[in-house]
Amino acid sequence: MSAVQTSSFQPAASWRDYYELGKPRVVMLIMFTAIAGMFLAAPSWPPASALIFGTLGIALAASAAAAINHVLDRRFDEQMARTRNRPLPTGHVTERQALSYALVLAVLSMVLLWGCVNALTAVLTFCSLIGYAVIYTVWLKHATPQNIVIGGAAGAAPPVLGWTAVTGSVDPHALLLFLIIFTWTPPHFWALAIARRDEYAKAGIPMLPVAYSSDFTRLHILLYTILLVIVTLLPYLTGMSGLIYLAAALILGALFLFRALQLKVRQDARLPMQTFGYSITYLALLFAALLIDHYVTIRLT
């Protein structure tokens, strides 16, 4: 009897478990790009209501989507070393608890965005939540090796959401920010997919290196990185940003290209995760350069 009781014992969920359900490191990057969109949309300083409630609402929606993703991917997470210690596979949180948590976050997000920001931001944020938590996780992720390319649209939305929180409209410059993240997502995620290829294969998820090969994926990382460098020049070419951003984009892009080229020509097991890690730093620094350029340009004119 004691053995049965011990095996069925479920540790009580802690605040850390719920915190992890929201994928905080991913949400932090989402919040940063959304905040960048807010500041870039404003000629000087974004309204306090948009900055505070917009950021909080977008963060809550992103956390809700992440929690739903945990529930829908539980069976696959149990099979992968990278994810088997998440709150659901370990049994710290039940599916019902996770879904209830996600529902509360989603409702709070919509209330804040609709009531304190504007309806357009609320609608676009809800569409992004559904796009990631349902369309990508339930269908695209398991339907095609191009899952991350198509599904990247949801992850590219935050700067547009930040922009609409300030202006109430979608500007072409906001779409440039979307395009940058949309183009960045495949080389970013495919580098991780190469490193975790065996785990994805075991879980039956047709990521590009599983469906084809790691060499095929390395080539596509290089090609997408070249495209990314070209896309990142558009803010300067359209007059959205100035020389500070241009210099940063060229330097950061050259470093990304160097890593992608190394990944293509060298069979070093450390390179995929190094490229993945740099891609996160790259995006953060690129958006930081956009912000610096935005305000330095204002002071110099």
Side-chain angles (χ1 to χ4, degrees), residues 199-222:
E199 294 181 27
Y200 281 115
K202 180 181 178 182
I205 300 175
M207 301 306 296
L208 198 65
V210 175
Y212 294 95
S213 68
S214 292
D215 287 341
F216 182 84
T217 307
R218 292 169 194 266
L219 173 61
H220 278 69
I221 289 174
L222 177 59

Side-chain angles (χ1 to χ4, degrees), residues 43-61:
S44 56
W45 190 266
S49 59
L51 185 60
I52 296 171
F53 297 115
T55 302
L56 183 57
I58 293 167
L60 288 172

